[in-house]
């Protein structure tokens, strides 16, 4: 008897059918990867296995061989379904910062699962929570147990989510994009952790992902979804060696490709930092905290130069200081020593800083959280004009918004009523195009790109990179590109800067740094990305 059998699964929201006739089989101790682009139906399929697809009409059968024998999950009454969740089938969600409760410590949230599901006493539950965190490899588990989610790094939060999911030793773990927002070395650590725990506990894993490299290293079998239909499935070795379906072939071929204009060596600098330092105040432990605070150096002695029309790629793990460095360059983070944008330092006065801010704009990692859900596309994209050109007539502003959207590939012909739509009505890649249009509408000279493709699947990421390459060639933009994806660095950057623990450990031309790295840390990053 298979651990999980999905038979003719159909899912619809109103009149829209999003999953059609899905059949999957998962054996005990097996690792199955469900792969596809955003909108392919893979996540809603996974959610339906636990009755979590809210508002959906679900038909078919989901047969699970649990402690009570084989049951159809879709037919279970609410109380039995609640007992199944977490105890026999557990789930790790994509973004732990939104999945974890910000009002409770990590330890309290793990202990709650043990108390509710296993009937463990409160004191024993907290001790077991510490042990579970230790098992996931979190350093200082007793201290981390008392920490709130925002006090942990991305990798630590994901480990805490895994500890919570494994608290009841489930037979099946559903992992929904568990490494998407993590850097390459932490991604590999989470992958190794899941493999080790899966082998130790003898559980099966259903991995939902668009990361094909992750699938190659982790899964035993793989199923490929396109527009709600499983178009191909088989062993990982078979599918990667000889994909049969055109969609699978296209996914495997979707890798970042380099198509950038050669850098001009003597182009004028547009961003310069000299001995840049960023410090944060942190509380002292014990009674000493009554009398003052210590400081944590997030960035120390950073020197960089970004020239017109060039891309400077900044690589490093989470916590290396690369985003803090970018915030200082944007004038959004207090810093020490010197930052110059187009030859002008921040802090020259409100009017001067506002004029300078027009020249340097930012595109954030997650377009869903960086775009206001209460504003229309016209309001979002045109917001910069209301600040920098407040006297511009409404009709002229609307024309500028339409042109900016056309520049990033969004038109009224494709999306009727485009200007009056809201962000939730677009896919992830389309939302990122809106975010780029918002940055470009004030005609900046520099774009700071903070992980612009890490929240996107491979085909959408490739489209965004092609768009950024085209815009740089047409507009002569300079990019400060922050990413943990070495493939994106290779496709986009002219120069590379590698950060570790707040310091620049290596920098130089792309070929020099990536093809002949001098530092062991750089070699580790490159090895983790292969």
């Amino acid at each position: 008897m298979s651990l999980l059998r999905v038979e003719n699964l159909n899912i619809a929201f109103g009149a829209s059918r999003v999953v059609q006739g899905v059949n999957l089989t998962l054996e005990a101790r097996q690792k199955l990867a469900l792969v596809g682009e955003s909108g392919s139906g893979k996540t809603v399929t996974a959610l339906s296995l636990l009755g979590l697809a809210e508002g959906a009409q679900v038909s078919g059968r989901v047969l699970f061989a649990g402690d009570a024998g084989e049951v159809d999950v879709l037919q279970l009454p609410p109380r039995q379904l609640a007992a199944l969740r977490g105890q026999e089938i557990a789930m790790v969600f994509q973004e732990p910062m939104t999945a974890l409760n910000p009002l409770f410590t990590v330890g309290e949230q793990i202990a709650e699962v043990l108390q509710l599901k296993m009937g463990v006493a409160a004191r024993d539950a907290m001790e077991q929570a510490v042990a579970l965190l230790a098992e996931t490899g979190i350093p200082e588990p007793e201290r981390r147990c008392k920490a709130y989610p925002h006090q942990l790094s991305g990798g630590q939060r994901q480990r805490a989510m895994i500890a919570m999911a494994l608290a009841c030793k489930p037979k099946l773990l559903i992992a929904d994009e568990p490494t998407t927002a993590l850097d390459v070395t932490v991604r590999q650590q989470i992958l190794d952790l899941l493999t080790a725990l899966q082998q130790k506990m003898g559980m099966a894993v259903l991995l939902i992902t668009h990361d094909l490299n992750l699938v190659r290293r982790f899964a035993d079998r793989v199923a490929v979804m396109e527009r709600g239909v499983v178009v191909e499935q088989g062993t990982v070795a078979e599918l990667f060696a000889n994909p049969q379906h055109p969609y699978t072939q296209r996914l495997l071929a979707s890798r970042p490709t380099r198509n950038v204009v050669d850098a001009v060596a003597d182009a004028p600098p547009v961003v310069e930092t000299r001995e840049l330092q960023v410090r944060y105040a942190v509380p002292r432990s014990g009674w000493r905290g009554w009398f003052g605070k210590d400081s944590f150096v997030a960035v120390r002695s950073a020197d960089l130069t970004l020239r017109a029309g060039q891309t400077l790629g900044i690589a490093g793990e989470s916590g290396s200081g690369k985003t803090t460095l970018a915030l200082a360059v944007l004038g959004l983070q207090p810093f020490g020593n010197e930052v110059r944008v187009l030859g002008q330092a921040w802090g020259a006065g409100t009017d001067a800083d506002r004029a300078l801010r027009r020249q340097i704009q930012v595109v954030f990692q997650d377009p869903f959280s960086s775009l206001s859900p209460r504003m229309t596309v016209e309001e979002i994209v045109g917001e910069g004009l209301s600040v920098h050109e407040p006297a511009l007539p409404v009709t002229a502003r609307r024309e500028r918004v339409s042109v900016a959207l056309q520049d990033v590939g969004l038109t009224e012909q494709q999306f009727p009523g485009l200007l009056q739509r809201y962000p939730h009505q677009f896919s992830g890649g389309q939302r990122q195009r809106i975010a780029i249009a918002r940055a470009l509408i004030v005609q900046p000279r520099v774009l700071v790109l903070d992980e612009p493709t890490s929240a996107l699947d491979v085909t959408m990421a490739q489209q965004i990179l092609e768009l950024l390459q085209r815009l740089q060639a047409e507009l002569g933009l300079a990019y400060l590109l922050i990413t943990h994806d070495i493939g994106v660095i290779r496709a986009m950057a002219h120069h590379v800067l590698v950060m570790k623990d707040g310091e620049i450990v290596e920098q130089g031309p792309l070929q020099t740094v990536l093809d002949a790295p001098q530092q062991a840390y750089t070699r580790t990053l490159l090895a983790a990305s292969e």
Side-chain angles (χ1 to χ4, degrees), residues 11 59 88 202 213 217 229 273 336 375 400 407 416 435 462 473 498-499 511 513 516:
I11 305 173
S59 64
E88 296 191 66
N213 281 331
R217 296 196 299 266
V229 177
T273 71
M375 296 171 68
R400 290 271 294 275
D407 287 343
Q462 177 63 22
V498 181
M499 294 191 71
Q511 290 78 11
V513 174

Side-chain angles (χ1 to χ4, degrees), residues 393-470:
V394 173
T395 53
R397 181 182 301 174
R398 177 167 292 179
E399 178 63 26
R400 290 271 294 275
V401 169
S402 296
V403 170
L405 289 168
Q406 289 173 17
D407 287 343
V408 299
L410 299 175
T411 65
E412 281 280 347
Q413 288 71 29
Q414 293 174 293
F415 305 98
L418 170 64
L419 297 184
Q420 302 311 313
R421 293 193 182 199
Y422 290 87
H424 73 272
Q425 297 174 291
F426 297 89
S427 70
Q430 290 161 355
R431 285 195 292 267
Q432 196 63 296
R433 289 173 185 268
I434 293 169
I436 294 170
R438 176 178 62 179
L440 290 179
I441 197 164
V442 293
Q443 300 172 337
R445 298 275 300 281
V446 183
L447 280 189
V448 176
L449 305 171
D450 188 5
E451 301 281 7
T453 61
S454 66
L456 306 178
D457 59 55
V458 287
T459 52
M460 286 187 181
Q462 177 63 22
Q463 292 169 16
I464 294 299
L465 291 181
E466 290 173 354
L467 170 64
L468 290 169
Q469 290 167 348
R470 175 176 64 80

